[in-house]
């Protein structure tokens, strides 16, 4: 067996865990019209099944990040995957919409163990060995999991109903927890340097976080409410057909390529490029022309996943100490943006239709550009940098 084989197996096991987690995160997104009909709730209220998850992720990250700094990232990752199983079953069995929101919240509290912990784990274990494309592989795993959670759930809902479709997702984090029982390498002891207080005053970290959150807002808002638009004239598609739009998530499989581009041009330039791409995509979605709509959504999806790769690399650059806490802060802001993206565009949809949804996206992208542009490429913030702790060059 070649020396690199254990590393590949460890990476594959971790990718399975990440995919299993992400499959559950947005599992209600593609079936929001079905939930509206089943529980008798409005589109904006149905969108709360997304919002409560991302809020819980934002809150939970503040616990999981520092905990992983203390107990070790592999242990936290395995624990989170296993804890995700019971509330996923609870969502499928929820007797009412309020109960569904409770179980969705519990799901969200478990997820940072694979998000806020997973990103620094990639940086500390895999990026030094194979370069920034490791972050791209991680994003690709999230994409595949998201496709299962969105497209898979939507198609299965048409056959067996949404409860069975969502209940089957519990298999994924369970299998992942079993697979990850062995083989996840321990990273070197991460440098520590003061924790939350220093990160809260690191304006460069805050700029990266705002940029990522605003990109995420636009993405979540667009893909959460597009099914409502596709069900109405002039398109008038069924829910199953409308859900095929989530195949555009396959643009996220370009994650490893995004990592290579970041190696060449820098994460900041790449992130700013994704803001422009997302804005272009929004413009293309405005006419009621299906090919332009699909192309626009593809631009928004590609921009989101590439931007996620870029901003995660940005976090690793501007915060070299207490990375678990730094990434938790990033995700706290990031998922707060996502929570708003699952609700505010719904209100805009109810009042002004798709033009209202697009307008909220343009405002958010303006904030994204400002946040990323504020992260100047000068010397790193001394409050959060240990100059002796740098990523090793790719093997």
């Amino acid at each position: 067996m070649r020396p690199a084989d254990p590393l590949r197996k460890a990476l594959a096991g971790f990718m399975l865990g990440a995919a299993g987690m992400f499959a559950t995160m947005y599992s209600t997104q593609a079936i929001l019209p079905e939930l509206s009909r089943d529980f008798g709730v409005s589109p904006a209220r149905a969108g709360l099944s997304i919002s409560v998850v991302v809020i819980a992720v934002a809150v939970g990250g503040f616990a999981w990040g520092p905990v992983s700094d203390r107990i070790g990232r592999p242990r936290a990752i395995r624990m989170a995957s296993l804890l995700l199983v019971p509330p996923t079953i609870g969502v499928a069995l929820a007797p009412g919409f309020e109960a569904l929101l409770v179980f969705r919240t519990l799901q969200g509290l478990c997820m940072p163990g694979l998000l806020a912990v997973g990103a620094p784990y990639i940086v500390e274990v895999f990026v030094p060995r194979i370069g920034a494309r490791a972050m791209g592989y991680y994003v690709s795993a999230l994409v595949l999991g998201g496709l299962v959670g969105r497209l898979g759930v939507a198609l299965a809902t048409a056959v067996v109903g949404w409860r069975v479709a969502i209940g089957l997702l519990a298999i994924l984090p369970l299998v992942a927890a079993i697979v990850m029982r062995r083989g996840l390498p321990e990273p070197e002891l991460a440098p520590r340097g003061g924790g939350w207080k220093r990160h809260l005053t690191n304006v460069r970290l805050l700029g990266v976080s705002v940029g990522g959150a605003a990109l995420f807002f636009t993405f979540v808002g667009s893909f959460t409410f597009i099914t409502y638009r596709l069900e109405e004239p002039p398109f008038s598609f069924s829910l199953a057909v409308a859900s095929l739009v989530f195949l555009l998530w396959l643009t996220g499989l370009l994650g490893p390529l995004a990592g290579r581009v970041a190696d060449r041009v820098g994460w900041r330039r790449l992130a700013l490029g994704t803001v422009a791409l997302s804005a272009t995509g929004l413009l293309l979605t405005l006419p009621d022309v299906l090919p332009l709509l699909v192309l626009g959504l593809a631009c928004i999806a590609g921009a989101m996943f590439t931007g996620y790769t870029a901003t995660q690399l940005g976090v690793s650059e501007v915060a070299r100490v207490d990375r678990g806490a730094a990434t938790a802060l990033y995700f706290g802001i990031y998922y707060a943006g996502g929570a708003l993206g699952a609700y505010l565009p719904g209100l805009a949809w109810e009042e002004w239709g798709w033009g209202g949804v697009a307008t909220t996206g343009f405002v958010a992208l303006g904030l994204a550009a400002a946040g990323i542009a504020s992260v100047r490429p000068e010397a790193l913030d001394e409050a959060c940098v240990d100059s002796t702790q740098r990523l090793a060059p790719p093997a």
Side-chain angles (χ1 to χ4, degrees), residues 236-304:
S236 302
F237 293 131
S238 68
L239 179 61
V241 173
S243 68
L244 293 176
V245 73
F246 291 104
L247 284 173
L248 296 175
W249 274 50
L250 290 172
T251 57
L253 296 181
L254 296 175
L257 177 60
R260 291 180 183 274
V261 173
D263 278 335
R264 291 180 178 275
V265 305
W267 71 267
R268 185 172 174 271
R269 288 182 180 177
L270 179 61
L272 287 172
T274 65
V275 174
L277 179 61
S278 187
T280 301
L282 277 178
L283 286 173
L284 290 173
T285 65
L286 292 176
D288 288 330
V289 179
L290 186 61
L292 289 179
L293 177 63
V294 172
L295 178 59
L297 290 171
C299 290
I300 294 170
M304 174 60 234

Side-chain angles (χ1 to χ4, degrees), residues 204 208 215 257-278 302-303 306-315 317-318 368-369 371-378:
R204 288 164 55 84
V208 176
L215 271 170
L257 177 60
R260 291 180 183 274
V261 173
D263 278 335
R264 291 180 178 275
V265 305
W267 71 267
R268 185 172 174 271
R269 288 182 180 177
L270 179 61
L272 287 172
T274 65
V275 174
L277 179 61
S278 187
T306 303
Y308 180 87
T309 300
T311 54
Q312 280 297 300
L313 293 170
V315 170
E317 176 184 300
V318 302
I372 296 167
S374 72
V375 187
R376 301 297 180 186
E378 292 95 39

Side-chain angles (χ1 to χ4, degrees), residues 100-350:
L100 183 143
L101 293 182
V102 170
F103 286 117
R104 290 288 283 163
T105 301
L106 293 175
Q107 283 182 308
L109 291 174
C110 298
M111 290 172 186
L114 286 149
L115 278 170
V117 178
Y121 184 69
I122 287 286
V123 168
E124 293 163 0
V125 173
F126 298 108
V127 170
R129 293 168 172 83
I130 64 176
R133 67 181 184 273
M135 187 62 73
Y137 292 141
Y138 173 57
V139 173
S140 295
L142 299 181
V143 169
L144 291 175
L147 279 175
V148 171
R150 289 168 169 85
L151 182 58
V153 167
L155 296 178
T157 294
V159 179
V160 297
W162 68 267
R163 292 183 182 275
V164 174
I166 288 183
L168 290 173
L169 292 181
I171 296 173
L172 296 177
L174 177 61
V175 171
I178 295 171
V179 171
M180 292 189 293
R181 287 185 62 188
R182 297 185 181 88
L184 290 184
E186 290 283 350
E188 293 184 8
L189 186 63
R192 313 262 323 257
W196 292 112
K197 290 183 179 179
R198 290 192 175 186
H199 289 315
L200 288 171
T201 59
N202 183 349
V203 294
R204 288 164 55 84
L205 176 60
L206 296 177
V208 176
S209 302
V210 168
L215 271 170
F216 192 41
F217 176 101
T218 302
F219 171 76
V220 171
S222 299
F223 277 86
T224 296
F225 298 100
I226 190 61
T227 49
Y228 288 101
R229 183 183 181 189
L230 291 175
E231 282 191 326
E232 293 187 350
F235 304 111
S236 302
F237 293 131
S238 68
L239 179 61
V241 173
S243 68
L244 293 176
V245 73
F246 291 104
L247 284 173
L248 296 175
W249 274 50
L250 290 172
T251 57
L253 296 181
L254 296 175
L257 177 60
R260 291 180 183 274
V261 173
D263 278 335
R264 291 180 178 275
V265 305
W267 71 267
R268 185 172 174 271
R269 288 182 180 177
L270 179 61
L272 287 172
T274 65
V275 174
L277 179 61
S278 187
T280 301
L282 277 178
L283 286 173
L284 290 173
T285 65
L286 292 176
D288 288 330
V289 179
L290 186 61
L292 289 179
L293 177 63
V294 172
L295 178 59
L297 290 171
C299 290
I300 294 170
M304 174 60 234
F305 294 118
T306 303
Y308 180 87
T309 300
T311 54
Q312 280 297 300
L313 293 170
V315 170
S316 73
E317 176 184 300
V318 302
R320 303 291 179 91
V321 298
D322 292 317
R323 280 205 181 105
T327 307
L329 178 60
Y330 169 90
F331 277 117
I333 298 172
Y334 179 86
Y335 279 103
L340 292 174
Y343 184 68
L344 293 182
L347 298 178
W349 165 260
E350 293 171 8

Side-chain angles (χ1 to χ4, degrees), residues 373-385:
S374 72
V375 187
R376 301 297 180 186
E378 292 95 39
L380 301 181
D381 188 338
E382 293 179 0
C384 285
V385 174

